[in-house]
Amino acid sequence: MTRSPSVLVVGGGATGTGVARDLALRGVDVTLAERGGLSSGTTGRSHGLLHSGARYAESDRVGAEECIEENRILRSIAGECVRDTGGLFVQLAGDDPEYFEEKRTACGTVGIETELLDAEEARERVPDLSADVERAMSVPDGVVYPSRLVAANAADVEAHGGTVHPHAPLEALSTVEGWVTEARLGGAVDDTVEVDYVVNAAGAWAGDVASMAGVTVDMAPTRGVMVSVEYDGVDPVLNRCRDPADGDIVVPHDSEAVLGTTSVPVSDPDDYERADWEVESSIEECAAMLPPVADSPVVRKWWGVRPLYAPDEGDGDRRGISRGFFRLDHAEDGVENFLSIVGGKLTTYRQMAEATADRVCERLGVDAACETATRTLPGADDAARLDEFVDRYDGQGPTDRDVVGKRE
């Protein structure tokens, strides 16, 4: 039996499910295929930060603007998929005060609200902050629970006539005279599907998917470690106010804090070293901001791989690669009905999906506007229902394991 979806979306992380939801809401017949459980790739192995954009304000104005816009949208549509914690950028003794001022000024230019706090005021908000904290500024950071977010998007895909297939790895694409005609899905599907259009939203694995269509997408992935420790003494996200480096962020959960992270180039997103020094460095550096985490019991540790796109990237830790996203229409490469969406951040997944769906609809002749910025995700205000969605799609990932399914 051969099924005939109009659009096949490959990749069941935030971007892929976001694309599938956007297309389904526009009336497009869409099928989503993910090789594992949903959110089992980069999305579910992140630190779960809902970016305000402050991290990029002085170095990437466009990226910062994207973050604060999507931050506000997610707060309005995602309910229990996010948590409004706020955030602090803290300056320690020895950190460059000019960098602090540059970031604060850039936030104002971008439209990111900040509040300047002296050391005493900062410790009123986080009593365990280091005595080396000289000042801080508050920003509207927050926390994302990735498995809930992805599962809610997937549920809306199916509610609007689409199909979602976890555990259905893409095995092959067939192209004829510059058009992808069929996709072979293994695992739970074990079938060939006819396609009118294919969206490659495979993240760090986008290069592998692209090669099946005979085109090149040069990814430059990096690995980063996250360490979750027992600690409930911090409410806002903590960011070290310095150039991005190892161990410069603490993300609060209910009774844990996630410490991160590192940036080490990898050549294979499935097969890479997981080095003890990364764990040790992240704990040590985060403890410079928040000393108690140095002695807090480690609950779990995990690595994720960033889906960075940089066709001209050389050696180095790749921290300088843009965290913006890139929409690659492969009609320019001779494959008319194939598009890759790469790069970006969890916070901007919806915007990435909108840009992708706009192009797909243009190619398919579909005249329908995006609705995802104003339409609330299903189950958004019901944590129990969201967690049922996670179970339905075998949502995976250690980032929010201490929260999802832990309802009283």
Side-chain angles (χ1 to χ4, degrees):
M1 180 178 67
T2 299
R3 302 174 183 85
S4 300
S6 294
V7 177
L8 173 67
V9 178
V10 181
T15 303
T17 55
V19 170
R21 180 191 185 221
D22 196 324
L23 290 171
L25 288 173
R26 300 193 204 202
V28 175
D29 185 12
V30 61
T31 293
L32 174 75
E34 162 58 40
R35 69 175 187 169
L38 296 194
S39 68
S40 57
T42 297
T43 295
R45 306 185 70 81
S46 66
H47 46 43
L49 175 63
L50 179 64
H51 279 282
S52 63
R55 188 169 179 86
Y56 309 106
E58 77 287 351
S59 60
D60 181 2
R61 176 171 176 170
V62 172
E65 289 172 340
E66 291 170 352
C67 281
I68 190 58
E69 178 181 356
E70 293 303 308
N71 177 302
R72 292 164 179 159
I73 289 172
L74 283 178
R75 291 173 190 273
S76 70
I77 69 168
E80 295 293 326
C81 299
V82 301
R83 178 182 168 200
D84 183 10
T85 62
L88 292 180
F89 273 80
V90 299
Q91 177 189 319
L92 303 186
D95 291 342
D96 183 2
E98 293 185 4
Y99 182 84
F100 185 100
E101 292 298 339
E102 182 183 2
K103 184 176 289 291
R104 186 177 174 219
T105 299
C107 284
T109 301
V110 170
I112 301 167
E113 183 178 352
T114 66
E115 178 187 359
L116 183 62
L117 306 174
D118 62 25
E120 182 178 350
E121 291 169 327
R123 273 186 282 274
E124 286 176 0
R125 298 197 185 186
V126 184
D128 286 340
L129 276 179
S130 167
D132 287 337
V133 171
E134 296 184 336
R135 57 177 172 171
M137 61 178 162
S138 66
V139 298
D141 282 341
V143 177
V144 180
Y145 301 131
S147 59
R148 285 181 178 172
L149 183 67
V150 169
N153 275 272
D156 219 18
V157 172
E158 295 198 311
H160 289 86
T163 304
V164 177
H165 291 303
H167 301 289
L170 177 69
E171 295 181 342
L173 294 173
S174 298
T175 59
V176 177
E177 296 181 350
W179 292 82
V180 181
T181 57
E182 293 181 336
R184 174 71 191 178
L185 300 179
V189 174
D190 192 24
D191 202 354
T192 297
V193 298
E194 296 176 0
V195 296
D196 294 319
Y197 206 97
V198 177
V199 174
N200 173 14
W205 297 265
D208 296 335
V209 173
S211 68
M212 295 185 191
V215 299
T216 300
V217 172
D218 291 319
M219 303 302 293
T222 65
R223 72 178 193 252
V225 71
M226 270 61 67
V227 185
S228 195
V229 300
E230 291 181 7
Y231 182 75
D232 61 3
V234 59
D235 289 324
V237 175
L238 298 182
N239 303 268
R240 181 82 174 266
C241 197
R242 63 181 183 186
D243 282 323
D246 292 348
D248 59 3
I249 187 167
V250 178
V251 181
H253 283 204
D254 287 349
S255 60
E256 298 178 15
V258 176
L259 317 179
T261 181
T262 49
S263 182
V264 182
V266 301
S267 57
D268 183 342
D270 286 318
D271 184 12
Y272 54 88
E273 181 185 12
R274 292 156 174 83
D276 289 342
W277 71 261
E278 296 177 74
V279 176
E280 296 163 0
S281 176
S282 292
I283 294 173
E284 180 181 356
E285 291 296 329
C286 287
M289 292 188 290
L290 193 66
V293 301
D295 301 314
S296 298
V298 173
V299 181
R300 62 192 179 284
K301 56 189 176 184
W302 67 95
W303 277 258
V305 179
R306 300 174 186 87
L308 304 180
Y309 173 68
D312 300 318
E313 179 63 20
D315 296 330
D317 65 9
R318 299 179 177 172
R319 288 190 185 275
I321 297 176
S322 171
R323 268 42 172 182
F325 66 87
F326 301 84
R327 186 185 66 182
L328 309 177
D329 188 337
H330 297 295
E332 299 175 4
D333 303 316
V335 183
E336 296 293 331
N337 60 338
F338 185 66
L339 180 150
S340 297
I341 180 71
V342 295
K345 296 170 286 295
L346 177 57
T347 300
T348 58
Y349 89 93
R350 192 213 61 83
Q351 188 180 70
M352 296 169 67
E354 179 177 352
T356 302
D358 283 347
R359 179 57 62 88
V360 174
C361 287
E362 177 186 338
R363 294 293 191 192
L364 295 177
V366 175
D367 184 14
C370 176
E371 300 180 13
T372 60
T374 56
R375 185 186 286 263
T376 302
L377 286 164
D381 295 323
D382 185 344
R385 187 177 175 209
L386 288 169
D387 291 353
E388 289 172 1
F389 293 156
V390 174
D391 289 340
R392 178 192 301 177
Y393 301 112
D394 191 24
Q396 298 179 11
T399 297
D400 52 19
R401 190 173 293 160
D402 59 317
V403 175
V404 173
K406 301 296 185 181
R407 307 172 304 278
E408 294 182 357

